[in-house]
Amino acid sequence: MLDEYFSEGTVMYRDGVADWEEAVDVVSGPLLDLRKIKPSYVDAIKASIRKPGGTYIDLGQGIAMAHARPEAGVVATSLSVLKVGRPFLLDDSQDHPISTLFCLAAQDSKSHLSLMQSLATFLSDGRNQERLGKATNVEELRAILKEER
Amino acid sequence: MKILTVCSTGLGSSFITQLNIDKALKELGVTGVETDHSDLGSVNKGDADVIFVGRDIADAAKDLGDVVVLNSLIDMKEIKEKLAEALKRHGLDIHEEEQTA
């Protein structure tokens, strides 16, 4: 189950954030606290988003997955997620309103296969996309992740 | 036939897209198509028959051959439609009538 990949405190809900950078800080915060990633990984994510085409982490349907290369500072493969009540604009781009931001820290490009399979299955399900969009608290988010199809 | 999904880091967006294409291939009843994911920097023209990318790196990938641009990487309907078109373009038979909803 996808839920198992989210450690305590890594599923978050906020009414809103000031901007996309704050969203990245919030979503990566618990992974930093748990020492799953280093501060350099957060910097790399922000730098990647600022680059031309950096908004490619927008998967569609208001869902984005912040990530960077493992060597940028991943200690252990991990996931976190932030749902915001008011969407923010990724890289301040009107084309990229985001309400659910995942943070993916993968130790290498192949070994996180089972995690990615769960995540891909979960995210490509239209019902899950809709439920994520409607969630207004951590309990609801946890329940959606738990009932992953 | 080989399909490659490409994003800037080569392990997040492109991996999810690859897994969704695998799923779409299954749903379309197509076998024998190899899929993989990679980062933009290490892909060369000719590495795959078809390359799938998200809209944000469409420009950067435009010289890589048969490039399919996705608006959403998690919209199975769009992925399936564009995948079916690409497979037909490359002469693969698709038995869509066998599909169940």
Side-chain angles (χ1 to χ4, degrees):
Chain A
M1 277 196 309
L2 194 54
D3 180 56
E4 290 165 10
Y5 293 108
F6 292 89
S7 307
E8 180 78 34
T10 60
V11 178
M12 295 160 279
Y13 179 87
R14 296 273 191 283
D15 288 329
V17 286
D19 54 21
W20 67 270
E21 294 203 48
E22 187 185 342
V24 171
D25 286 332
V26 172
V27 77
S28 60
L31 300 183
L32 269 177
D33 293 343
L34 293 164
R35 297 181 195 282
K36 306 266 192 194
I37 55 171
K38 295 176 186 167
S40 56
Y41 190 67
V42 183
D43 296 338
I45 287 173
K46 289 182 183 173
S48 159
I49 292 171
R50 275 190 213 104
K51 269 196 240 169
T55 46
Y56 76 92
I57 65 161
D58 177 358
L59 302 175
Q61 277 72 31
I63 300 166
M65 191 173 61
H67 64 289
R69 298 285 310 168
E71 57 270 21
V74 175
V75 180
T77 297
S78 48
L79 267 176
S80 62
V81 63
L82 167 69
K83 167 76 201 293
V84 290
R86 291 183 301 275
F88 62 89
L89 298 177
L90 192 62
D91 199 28
D92 304 324
S93 162
Q94 296 289 341
D95 288 339
H96 298 283
I98 302 297
S99 58
T100 306
L101 180 65
F102 285 86
C103 182
L104 168 73
Q107 264 178 299
D108 60 67
S109 58
K110 302 283 178 192
S111 75
H112 57 306
L113 179 65
S114 62
L115 183 158
M116 293 301 282
Q117 263 164 345
S118 295
L119 199 57
T121 304
F122 175 79
L123 291 177
S124 60
D125 186 317
R127 287 163 301 187
N128 288 335
Q129 295 166 5
E130 199 185 322
R131 290 177 76 199
L132 272 182
K134 286 181 181 163
T136 55
N137 58 56
V138 171
E139 291 68 34
E140 281 176 27
L141 290 167
R142 274 279 176 196
I144 299 165
L145 294 171
K146 232 172 226 165
E147 289 166 30
E148 167 216 349
R149 277 172 286 248
Chain B
M1 175 167 175
K2 184 172 178 181
I3 293 176
L4 198 58
T5 60
V6 177
C7 73
S8 304
T9 50
L11 50 74
S13 313
S14 59
F15 202 168
I16 283 195
T17 313
Q18 182 203 345
L19 294 168
N20 285 337
I21 285 177
D22 286 345
K23 189 173 161 191
L25 284 168
K26 217 176 192 176
E27 290 178 7
L28 290 169
V30 177
T31 52
V33 176
E34 191 191 336
T35 62
D36 202 358
H37 61 280
S38 185
D39 67 280
L40 201 50
S42 49
V43 180
N44 295 300
K45 195 176 175 176
D47 284 355
D49 299 292
V50 186
I51 290 177
F52 279 75
V53 297
R55 57 184 169 143
D56 295 296
I57 61 164
D59 259 6
K62 66 179 189 298
D63 295 327
L64 293 174
D66 186 356
V67 175
V68 178
V69 178
L70 295 172
N71 291 314
S72 166
L73 308 181
I74 52 174
D75 179 352
M76 286 310 291
K77 192 169 167 282
E78 184 194 2
I79 290 174
K80 227 159 120 178
E81 278 172 13
K82 291 186 173 170
L83 175 65
E85 283 168 23
L87 293 171
K88 281 177 193 159
R89 225 169 23 243
H90 289 263
L92 255 85
D93 263 348
I94 297 162
H95 306 286
E96 280 171 284
E97 65 278 8
E98 290 171 16
Q99 286 299 299
T100 50

